[in-house]
Amino acid sequence: MFATLLILLLPVIWFSAPLWGAKLVENILVQQQCRDAVVDIGGVGWHQSHINRLYCKDQNASFELDITDADISYTLAGLMEKRVEDVSLESAALNLRTTSESNAEAIPVLTTPALLLESLPLSSFHIRHIQLQQQNQQGEVIQEIRGYARYSDQGLSVALNEASHLKGVQLTLEMNRENGVSAALSQGDISIIDVQTTMRKTANDLTVDGETDVAIAPLFALLKPWLNMSEQQMEGVLHGSWQLSLPAQSSQPLLQQLDATAVFTLDAALHRPDSDDAHGKLNLNVSFQQGMGAWDIVDGSQLRFGDQEAMHADLAHLSGSFALTASGWSAAIAENSALRLKNIRINDIHIPSAQLRFIEPLGIRLSNEISIVQEAAVELMVPTAESQDVKLASRKISLALKQGSLLTPSGSFTAAAITLVSPALSLPESNLSGTFELSDKQVSVAGNMRSKQHGEQLNWQLSRQLSESAWHFNIAEKSTLQVKNVHLGDQAVSYVNIKAMRPIAFAIMPKGAVNLVNKTSIALVLPRLQLQENSFASRGLNINLHQGSIFSPSGSFVASGIKFTTPTMKLPESNVSGSFDLSKKQLSALGKVDAPEAGVHLVWKLKHIQAKQQGLLEFTAEQLTFGAGAMDLSRIIDSHDNYAIEGGVLDLKGSVQWQKNRQQKNNMDARFDLKLSGLKGFYKTNKFSGLSGNLHFNVDEKRLLMVPAVVSLDRLDAGVPVHHISMSAAFAYPFAGLANIQINQLKAEALGGLVSSEKISIDLARASNPFLVQIKHMDAGQVAEIRRQEGLQVQGLLDGELPFDWTSDGLKMTAGVLHSANVDGLIRYLGTESVRNLAASDQATKMVMDIMHNFHYKLLNIGANYTPDGELKMNIKLKGKNPEYENGRAVELNFNIEENVLKLMQGLNMAGGIGGAVEKKVQKELRKQ
C-alpha cells in the first residue's frame, strides 16, 4: 500500500519540482535580505537542471544580480557531498549602485571577481557573458564592465573589460595549479596591477615565488567613485615580492606548516586641496614559519605631511611579531620599538618633536575583538608644545596599559616635570599622575597634579558618556593650584594660590562652550603687590559661583583686609563685597566697601551692555565722619604735616557713564556730588573750620567742571583771621587747556570789617583778569595788632577798594586805595627802647615822638601797588594833630614804605608800617653816632 502510494507521488513531485523549488529558492533569497527575488526554474533532472532566470535586488537597492539560462550538471553522489560538476551561464549581470557612504567592501567584486569563484565547490563552470555595472544614486550608469569566466581542468580564466571605450579597464586572470597565477589590471595601455607567481613542486614540498607591482595613481582614479574622495589625488608605486613553502604531505593545518618571507616597498603621495599633502615611504619585511611570524619596518620608512619642514613621522624603528594560535591570530609590537615625530601641528598647537616608545612588548590578540593580552608600558616624550605665546614642557609621559580590549583600553599614566609658560601667567613645575578607562559606554580619566616646590595638589576627573556630547571635568574639594608670574596690564604678580572650597564640576560642550554644573566657591590668596611705588595687599578673596557658563559667570565675592599704600597716601584697611551677573546681555554687579576703623561705608552698582559697549557705575558714601575715632586723613596721607581734615562730615554720591561712539572711541561722562558739613582742618599754616556746601562736579574726556555752588566757611586763618566767608564758586578745567575760575558774591569778615567782591573771573588762558575787592569799616586797631609793633596803639575804621589783576605773570594790584572812614582816629606810638633813647638826644626824633604819642588824625590815606614777585609799595598820608603838641597845631605826615610780602593782608598793617618807618629812621641815626 505504502509502496504504491510512493510510486504515484514520485511523478507528481518530480514534475512539480520547478514550481516548489523556485518558491524554496525565493524564500532563501528573501531571508538573505533580497527585497525583490525572482526564480524561474525551467526543469529539474537526475544529472542536470536548467534555470531560466534568477534575479535578486537587496533591500537598499545597492546590489542587483540578474542571471539567465543557467545549466547545472551534477551527480547524486556529488550532491550528497555538496559538490556540483559544472555550471554554464549564458549571462550574469551585476549592478552596483553608489550610496552616500563609501563602500570599500565592494571594490574587490569589481576588480577581481574571479578570485571569489575559486572557493566554489565546482568541477567546472562557464559564464559566457558577464556584465558588471556601477550606478550613481540616481540610477545612472557610470561604469560598465563585460567579459567571461571559465573554470575547468584545475584552471581558472577570467577576462573583463570596460565596455564604454577602448581605453577602459581590463582585467585578466589566469590560474593554473601547476604553473601559478598571472593577473593584470590595466586601463588602455597603462598597467595598474600586475601579479606573477611561479610554483615549484618536489616530492617533499611546494614552493611559490611571487611578485606584484601596483601603479597607485590609476588605481586611485579607478577607486575614487567608491571611496568618496573625488577632490583628492594619489600617486606612487607599490612593489612586493614573496616566497611561500609548504610540505608536499602533511596532516597538520596548512598555516601551521607554511614558511614564508615577503618584502614590500611603498612610495606614495596624497594630494589634498583643503590641507597639506601627505607623502609616505614604507619598507616592510615579513617572515612566517610554522604559525609564527615577524615584521620589521626598516630604514627609509617615513610619513610626511606638507613640505620638508612640515609634520614628519619616522617609522623605521618599529618591529614586532604575529602568530596563529588556537584562539586566533595574535600580534605584538616589540620592546623598544619607537615612533618618532617632528613638527606636529594640531590646529594652532605646534610640537617640534615627540617620540612614542614601547618600554615593554605590546601583545595583541585578534579574535572576536582586538585585545591586549598582557600589561604593557609605553613612554611618550614631548619636550615642548607651543601655541602662539603659550609653551608647555614635560620630561616624559608614561602609560601603563592593562589587559583588555585595545579599542577600549584602561591603565594609568604619569607625566614628570610639567611646566606651562605664557605672557599672562605660568604654572610651577609639577608632576601629573592618574588612571584612565575607556568602555563602550564612557571614557573616564582621573588624576592629580602636584607642585614639586610647595606641594599644592589638584585632584581632578575627566569623563564622558558616549551617548552624550558633553565632557565632564571635576575638581575635588580643597584642591589647590598655584599660578605664577600673573601679569595684570603692566604689572606682574609673583604668584596666586587658588583653592577649591567646594567641589567644582564643569561640562565641556561642543563648539567650546564650558558650563559650571554646580554652585561652588574658590579662594584666592595673593602676596603683597608692589606696583612701582604703590603697595597692595589683602588677606584673601573668596568667589562664589552659580551654575552657568564659565565664560559669562554669576555669583558673589568677598575681599577682606585690603590695604593700599602710595608714597603720599595710605588708605584704611577695608573689605569689599558684592555680587555679579555676566550671563545676560546687560552685565551687572553691585556691592559695598567697608573700612570699619575709618567709619567708611560705600555702596556701588555697575551695569554694562557688551554689544553697545556702554555702561554705568553708581556709588554712594554717606556720613563720612572726620576726627578722633573716625576717618583721620593724617593716617591716610603721609604728608599730613601739610594738611589734614580734623572734623566734620562728608557725603559722596557719583556716577560714571561710558559708551563707544561711531569712531569706536570711548566716551566717558562722570558726575560727583559732594555734601560738605562743618569740615575742619588745616593746609600748611592755614587753618579752616566750618567748611560747608553742596558741590557738583562733571567730568568727561575733555574737561573737569564744577557747576556754580554756594560754599561757606566759618573761619579761615591764613595769618589774618577771616570769618563768615560765603561765595558762589564754579570752575572749569579743560584737560587740553588752562583752568577757568568764577567766584560771585564773595563776602567775609576780617579785622573787624567786611571784605567783599561782586565777581571774580579768572581765565588762565587770558593775559589779564581784573577784579575788585572792597573793604568796609575794617578796624585799624586789629590791623596794627597783626604786626605786633611794640609801643603802638591805633583806633579808627578803614574803607577802600583794591583793584587786583591775575595776569600770566601772577597776581598784581595797581592803585589800590584805603582811607579812613568818616570817624576820627587815634594813633598812640610810644616807640621802642632804642627809639626812646634816641629821642633823649636827638631833637628831630623827639619831635616825632611828641607828635605821635597822642596823634588824632582826621585823614588816613594809603595808596598801594603790588607786583607778582611780592613787592608791595605803599604811600601813606596822615593829617591830624596832637592836642598836647604846640597847642594842637595841625600836622601832616607822609611815609613811603616798600616791603616784600606775599600775602596782601599783611600789607594792610599800615600802622605797623608807620612804626616801622620811625624805627628805621632811629636806627639810621644811631648808626650815624
Side-chain angles (χ1 to χ4, degrees):
M1 181 69 181
F2 177 75
T4 303
L5 181 61
L6 181 61
I7 292 172
L8 293 175
L9 289 176
L10 279 175
V12 177
I13 296 173
W14 183 262
F15 288 108
S16 64
L19 179 60
W20 58 260
K23 291 297 182 181
L24 178 62
V25 175
E26 285 183 9
N27 289 333
I28 294 174
L29 293 176
V30 171
Q31 293 175 3
Q32 297 299 319
Q33 308 299 318
C34 281
R35 184 183 67 183
D36 298 324
V38 176
V39 180
D40 182 4
I41 299 178
V44 177
W46 292 107
H47 299 289
Q48 189 178 54
S49 296
H50 181 78
I51 299 176
N52 295 328
R53 187 186 183 198
L54 188 150
Y55 175 81
C56 174
K57 180 187 287 187
D58 74 339
Q59 293 183 355
N60 297 322
S62 61
F63 172 89
E64 185 177 15
L65 176 65
D66 195 355
I67 297 174
T68 60
D69 292 330
D71 292 316
I72 305 174
S73 300
Y74 47 83
T75 63
L76 294 179
L79 290 178
M80 296 299 293
E81 297 176 357
K82 299 180 180 180
R83 181 175 182 81
V84 176
E85 295 299 322
D86 180 65
V87 174
S88 176
L89 305 180
E90 178 63 29
S91 67
L94 177 64
N95 297 332
L96 302 175
R97 180 169 297 178
T98 303
T99 61
S100 59
E101 298 180 357
S102 61
N103 188 2
E105 295 180 355
I107 297 170
V109 176
L110 180 63
T111 57
T112 59
L115 296 179
L116 302 177
L117 302 177
E118 184 185 11
S119 61
L120 290 178
L122 297 171
S123 298
S124 65
F125 68 82
H126 184 195
I127 305 176
R128 298 179 184 85
H129 302 286
I130 297 176
Q131 181 183 16
L132 303 179
Q133 285 188 347
Q134 178 190 357
Q135 300 177 356
N136 59 19
Q137 295 180 357
Q138 289 73 35
E140 299 171 344
V141 176
I142 59 177
Q143 188 179 33
E144 182 178 11
I145 294 178
R146 295 178 181 179
Y148 68 89
R150 289 193 298 267
Y151 177 65
S152 62
D153 299 327
Q154 296 184 341
L156 175 65
S157 177
V158 178
L160 299 172
N161 61 79
E162 195 168 11
S164 59
H165 48 80
L166 294 177
K167 293 187 178 182
V169 176
Q170 300 171 3
L171 171 66
T172 60
L173 174 64
E174 298 290 340
M175 185 176 70
N176 188 291
R177 296 189 184 277
E178 296 297 331
N179 299 323
V181 177
S182 174
L185 177 66
S186 61
Q187 189 170 25
D189 56 356
I190 300 175
S191 175
I192 300 176
I193 300 177
D194 183 68
V195 180
Q196 300 293 330
T197 65
T198 59
M199 299 183 185
R200 300 189 307 274
K201 188 174 182 181
T202 65
N204 297 324
D205 57 20
L206 173 66
T207 302
V208 180
D209 295 315
E211 285 192 59
T212 184
D213 290 287
V214 179
I216 294 177
L219 178 62
F220 186 76
L222 183 64
L223 301 181
K224 267 187 180 182
W226 304 93
L227 300 177
N228 196 24
M229 299 173 67
S230 59
E231 300 297 325
Q232 302 177 0
Q233 301 290 334
M234 194 172 183
E235 60 184 7
V237 294
L238 170 66
H239 176 76
S241 62
W242 63 87
Q243 185 179 76
L244 311 178
S245 178
L246 285 169
Q249 301 291 332
S250 176
S251 61
Q252 296 185 2
L254 177 65
L255 291 178
Q256 293 293 339
Q257 298 299 312
L258 176 65
D259 288 348
T261 59
V263 176
F264 295 94
T265 60
L266 172 68
D267 189 344
L270 177 64
H271 304 287
R272 300 175 292 179
D274 54 349
S275 58
D276 292 335
D277 294 344
H279 182 263
K281 290 184 178 181
L282 177 66
N283 298 317
L284 176 64
N285 295 333
V286 181
S287 63
F288 187 81
Q289 185 176 19
Q290 297 181 354
M292 302 291 292
W295 57 273
D296 185 17
I297 301 177
V298 297
D299 291 344
S301 299
Q302 63 178 12
L303 180 64
R304 188 181 72 245
F305 294 89
D307 56 23
Q308 295 292 334
E309 300 299 324
M311 179 177 171
H312 177 90
D314 185 359
L315 310 175
H317 303 277
L318 293 172
S319 62
S321 61
F322 58 95
L324 177 62
T325 64
S327 58
W329 285 95
S330 65
I333 301 176
E335 180 180 354
N336 290 324
S337 289
L339 176 63
R340 298 174 181 175
L341 305 171
K342 293 182 179 179
N343 292 325
I344 305 168
R345 294 191 179 273
I346 306 173
N347 295 329
D348 60 347
I349 301 175
H350 177 223
I351 302 175
S353 65
Q355 175 178 287
L356 179 66
R357 188 165 69 95
F358 297 86
I359 305 300
E360 299 173 347
L362 178 61
I364 301 172
R365 179 182 294 114
L366 306 174
S367 55
N368 295 332
E369 64 175 3
I370 305 174
S371 58
I372 302 172
V373 298
Q374 62 183 16
E375 293 186 359
V378 181
E379 183 179 86
L380 178 61
M381 305 290 291
V382 184
T384 60
E386 302 173 356
S387 177
Q388 297 179 354
D389 295 328
V390 180
K391 184 176 182 180
L392 177 68
S394 68
R395 187 176 299 132
K396 67 177 181 179
I397 302 172
S398 299
L399 299 176
L401 300 174
K402 294 182 179 180
Q403 290 178 282
S405 172
L406 181 64
L407 301 180
T408 55
S410 62
S412 61
F413 63 90
T414 60
I418 293 179
T419 59
L420 184 143
V421 178
S422 73
L425 55 86
S426 63
L427 295 179
E429 183 174 314
S430 304
N431 294 329
L432 186 67
S433 63
T435 61
F436 63 92
E437 182 177 358
L438 282 74
S439 68
D440 57 353
K441 294 184 178 180
Q442 72 169 6
V443 179
S444 178
V445 184
N448 67 79
M449 184 172 69
R450 182 184 293 273
S451 169
K452 293 184 64 177
Q453 183 176 3
H454 300 288
E456 295 88 358
Q457 180 167 304
L458 180 70
N459 299 312
W460 55 272
Q461 182 181 25
L462 177 67
S463 63
R464 178 192 170 193
Q465 297 289 332
L466 298 184
S467 59
E468 302 177 356
S469 59
W471 287 86
H472 296 274
F473 182 67
N474 298 332
I475 298 175
E477 183 178 356
K478 298 184 179 180
S479 291
T480 57
L481 175 67
Q482 184 180 89
V483 182
K484 301 179 67 176
N485 301 321
V486 180
H487 289 265
L488 305 172
D490 296 333
Q491 308 302 326
V493 182
S494 59
Y495 70 89
V496 177
N497 286 335
I498 306 173
K499 184 175 183 179
M501 306 305 294
R502 296 174 58 185
I504 305 175
F506 297 105
I508 305 172
M509 310 299 292
K511 299 183 180 180
V514 181
N515 292 334
L516 185 63
V517 177
N518 64 326
K519 290 184 178 181
T520 190
S521 176
I522 60 175
L524 305 180
V525 177
L526 291 79
R528 177 179 292 273
L529 307 182
Q530 195 66 35
L531 312 177
Q532 296 180 353
E533 296 181 349
N534 305 323
S535 175
F536 174 85
S538 72
R539 286 197 296 270
L541 170 63
N542 282 64
I543 302 176
N544 299 313
L545 296 173
H546 298 161
Q547 293 172 284
S549 172
I550 196 66
F551 301 119
S552 53
S554 62
S556 60
F557 63 91
V558 175
S560 59
I562 295 176
K563 298 179 179 179
F564 185 73
T565 304
T566 73
T568 59
M569 182 173 62
K570 180 180 179 182
L571 293 180
E573 182 175 313
S574 59
N575 302 319
V576 181
S577 60
S579 61
F580 59 92
D581 188 351
L582 311 183
S583 63
K584 299 180 176 63
K585 292 183 179 180
Q586 178 173 286
L587 313 181
S588 62
L590 56 89
K592 61 181 180 179
V593 179
D594 290 308
E597 294 184 1
V600 176
H601 179 76
L602 184 144
V603 178
W604 58 271
K605 181 168 64 174
L606 170 71
K607 56 184 178 182
H608 179 78
I609 301 176
Q610 185 68 24
K612 297 182 179 180
Q613 288 293 294
Q614 68 180 30
L616 172 67
L617 171 64
E618 299 175 310
F619 52 89
T620 302
E622 297 180 349
Q623 296 294 305
L624 299 180
T625 304
F626 297 88
M631 183 179 291
D632 185 357
L633 285 184
S634 66
R635 298 176 57 187
I636 297 177
I637 303 171
D638 286 346
S639 55
H640 56 269
D641 291 338
N642 291 329
Y643 45 83
I645 298 179
E646 300 170 324
V649 177
L650 169 67
D651 292 327
L652 169 65
K653 184 178 181 180
S655 65
V656 181
Q657 287 183 304
W658 57 90
Q659 182 176 10
K660 277 192 175 181
N661 57 22
R662 294 181 179 178
Q663 290 75 33
Q664 294 299 307
K665 293 183 179 180
N666 288 320
N667 290 335
M668 188 270 291
D669 182 17
R671 298 186 179 186
F672 305 94
D673 297 333
L674 298 178
K675 182 179 179 181
L676 313 179
S677 302
L679 296 188
K680 175 184 178 183
F682 65 86
Y683 174 74
K684 295 184 177 179
T685 59
N686 306 315
K687 297 181 180 181
F688 65 90
S689 63
L691 176 60
S692 301
N694 294 324
L695 309 183
H696 307 280
F697 296 89
N698 293 331
V699 185
D700 55 26
E701 295 84 2
K702 297 181 179 180
R703 64 178 182 174
L704 168 64
L705 175 68
M706 188 183 85
V707 300
V710 176
V711 180
S712 62
L713 194 61
D714 289 346
R715 177 183 173 88
L716 174 64
D717 190 348
V720 176
V722 182
H723 302 273
H724 303 117
I725 305 169
S726 65
M727 71 186 80
S728 174
F731 76 88
Y733 174 52
F735 299 136
L738 299 175
N740 185 305
I741 303 170
Q742 301 289 330
I743 298 176
N744 296 317
Q745 301 299 319
L746 172 63
K747 296 180 180 179
E749 297 178 4
L751 302 176
L754 298 177
V755 179
S756 63
S757 177
E758 287 294 322
K759 182 177 182 180
I760 300 175
S761 177
I762 299 175
D763 186 349
L764 297 181
R766 293 197 302 254
S768 175
N769 297 275
F771 60 91
L772 184 65
V773 175
Q774 296 174 329
I775 305 298
K776 184 71 171 178
H777 290 110
M778 185 170 288
D779 187 349
Q782 294 186 35
V783 174
E785 290 179 359
I786 295 175
R787 192 66 178 268
R788 299 188 183 279
Q789 183 69 40
E790 183 181 348
L792 176 65
Q793 293 180 359
V794 181
Q795 296 178 5
L797 298 176
L798 299 174
D799 294 338
E801 292 182 345
L802 305 178
F804 287 97
D805 189 2
W806 189 282
T807 69
S808 56
D809 295 327
L811 183 66
K812 72 176 184 179
M813 180 181 64
T814 303
V817 175
L818 288 176
H819 56 84
S820 55
N822 296 327
V823 178
D824 292 345
L826 174 66
I827 298 176
R828 295 182 183 276
Y829 181 64
L830 303 179
T832 63
E833 183 178 359
S834 59
V835 173
R836 290 194 296 271
N837 292 334
L838 179 62
S841 59
D842 182 76
Q843 188 63 34
T845 302
K846 182 178 184 302
M847 181 187 67
V848 172
M849 294 292 293
D850 290 343
I851 295 173
M852 297 299 295
H853 84 278
N854 187 21
F855 185 73
H856 295 257
Y857 65 87
K858 291 186 175 291
L859 174 65
L860 169 60
N861 191 74
I862 302 173
N865 293 280
Y866 180 76
T867 58
D869 59 0
E871 189 70 24
L872 176 65
K873 294 181 179 180
M874 292 187 295
N875 175 259
I876 303 175
K877 293 182 179 180
L878 285 171
K879 291 182 179 181
K881 63 180 180 180
N882 185 340
E884 301 173 2
Y885 180 75
E886 294 184 356
N887 296 320
R889 181 174 63 86
V891 177
E892 183 175 336
L893 298 174
N894 293 303
F895 298 94
N896 290 319
I897 300 175
E898 294 185 11
E899 194 169 6
N900 190 285
V901 287
L902 298 178
K903 295 181 180 179
L904 179 60
M905 296 305 295
Q906 291 182 354
L908 295 177
N909 190 355
M910 76 298 290
I914 295 171
V918 174
E919 180 74 16
K920 289 179 181 178
K921 183 176 179 64
V922 172
Q923 295 293 341
K924 184 177 181 180
E925 292 298 327
L926 289 176
R927 283 194 294 271
K928 288 179 179 180
Q929 296 177 0

